[in-house]
Amino acid sequence: MRDHPWNTPRHLTIRVTRRDDPVSAVTEQDACRAAVRYPSIVIRGPVFGYAEQRPEDAPAWRLLSDVADGYPQHSRDGLISHLWTKAQTETRPGDRLRAHLMAAIARLQREPPANELTAGTTRYRVVRADEFARIGPDGIEGPRPTDPDDPRRDIGAPGRRPSCRTTGFLIDHARATGIAESIQRMELLALRYRSPRIPRAAREDSRRAVRTHPGVVLLPAAFTFAERKGTSWEPMAGLLPTPQDARAVLFSYLTEFLPALERDVPHEHARRYAAAAEAYRSGPPRDELRVLGRRFRVIRVERMMRIGPDGPEPPRPSDLDPYGPTRLDPYPGAPPAPPAGG
């Protein structure tokens, strides 16, 4: 019975469901059109976050961050802050869970760096994903009509903090998905680093991960803006949850950062940047802008997370991790930091 198809492990199971509601139907069509218009995939590199596995979710894991950190240590620091907050808000001095949480914090602050630990009945893990984007004859893919957006919001309005669609996402390889997403996941199963410009150790780890973590889960799409430089597009900001958030960052870039970066250029340049930004703000939502010979585009970024028998992939040995463990006291009144020896 071990080889019976119904006994396929969860990390190898892809369940396809057909949804008949109008929104799902349009989303499926949108994904199919995008695959035809942007048939190639380019991998940008890894991003990191942290997740938990509670007994009620097992064997699935739930993301606790937006999986946008550039290095594993950034995610360990975020996990320290999360555990510290949990210790203060959900436990009392003397509680066994608080002791477990503080011991976990101490472990995260020691060498060698920890990527997984348990506090109480909950497992925590620093997780890894790869950013990628679709490209076609006209360049890198922009937002799709069915992507969640808020195009009526003023991109120049200050003080808005974008909500994240990745935090809280349940990582469950066997969760039923639509036809288009299931096909894309199957296409990505063998995706790995192959370019000679990538260090050999990273290519070897990537090849090994296809075997050790053969499943693939897609995280919610994110957005940023990029500038056309030569024959490629260079992302210019971090990941954001909606196209309108990326348009807002592009507006700020034109009105605040470019004038500051180009203090030695003629005043006319700053004036034209400001005029282009204001026209971009006041007009209908656009995903491309040209000014002074420069070309900017709001782009769609996807992330794939590899899944193994025990869940999402942790950082690889070849992943850059230049920062050592950090001792954090994220706010006044936090529980006292444990000693470095734990």
Side-chain angles (χ1 to χ4, degrees), residues 105-111 327 337-342:
I105 292 169
R107 177 66 188 89
L108 287 167
Q109 295 179 116
R110 294 201 303 264
E111 293 278 9
R327 295 185 61 79

Side-chain angles (χ1 to χ4, degrees), residues 100-303:
H100 289 171
L101 290 168
M102 299 310 289
I105 292 169
R107 177 66 188 89
L108 287 167
Q109 295 179 116
R110 294 201 303 264
E111 293 278 9
N115 289 320
E116 182 167 338
L117 41 82
T118 300
T121 59
T122 303
R123 297 171 67 191
Y124 298 93
R125 179 179 295 174
V126 175
V127 295
R128 181 192 195 281
D130 270 305
E131 284 185 349
F132 70 94
R134 289 192 169 273
I135 58 173
D138 68 336
I140 199 163
E141 182 184 13
R144 299 174 185 172
T146 49
D147 285 327
D149 202 2
D150 184 14
R152 293 175 295 180
R153 178 171 57 85
D154 181 4
I155 60 175
R160 181 180 183 275
R161 182 180 179 86
S163 59
C164 177
R165 296 192 298 125
T166 306
T167 301
F169 182 82
L170 191 68
I171 308 169
D172 183 359
H173 196 276
R175 176 181 61 87
T177 56
I179 296 173
E181 180 176 335
S182 298
I183 292 174
Q184 183 177 13
R185 288 170 65 188
M186 293 178 67
E187 290 175 338
L188 295 170
L189 291 178
L191 187 68
R192 61 184 177 89
Y193 300 160
R194 299 176 185 271
S195 173
R197 66 180 178 81
I198 296 174
R200 180 177 179 179
R203 283 182 278 139
E204 286 297 310
D205 279 351
S206 182
R207 179 186 57 81
R208 189 177 302 110
V210 174
R211 184 180 70 254
T212 61
H213 294 78
V216 167
V217 165
L218 293 175
L219 304 187
F223 306 87
T224 186
F225 77 92
E227 182 177 0
R228 179 77 172 183
K229 295 188 176 181
T231 59
S232 63
W233 292 87
E234 180 180 331
M236 303 294 289
L239 299 182
L240 296 154
T242 70
Q244 193 73 345
D245 290 315
R247 297 181 195 112
V249 174
L250 174 54
F251 173 82
S252 297
Y253 183 76
L254 293 171
T255 56
E256 300 174 21
F257 292 98
L258 271 183
L261 290 172
E262 301 187 0
R263 293 184 184 277
D264 297 331
V265 303
H267 176 73
E268 175 66 14
H269 283 209
R271 188 191 68 79
R272 291 185 61 180
Y273 284 138
E278 191 53 42
Y280 187 62
R281 175 186 185 181
S282 59
R286 288 185 288 144
D287 294 324
E288 191 156 325
L289 183 149
R290 300 178 187 236
V291 56
L292 291 172
R294 303 176 72 168
R295 184 182 176 191
F296 301 95
R297 177 182 291 182
V298 173
I299 63 171
R300 188 179 201 269
V301 179
E302 298 188 73
R303 290 161 294 171

Side-chain angles (χ1 to χ4, degrees), residues 9-12 53 59-61 123 125 173 209-215 306-314:
R10 291 184 68 87
H11 70 287
L12 298 177
Q53 185 189 60
W61 292 70
R123 297 171 67 191
R125 179 179 295 174
H173 196 276
V210 174
R211 184 180 70 254
T212 61
H213 294 78
R306 289 206 162 274
I307 310 297
D310 192 36
E313 182 185 16

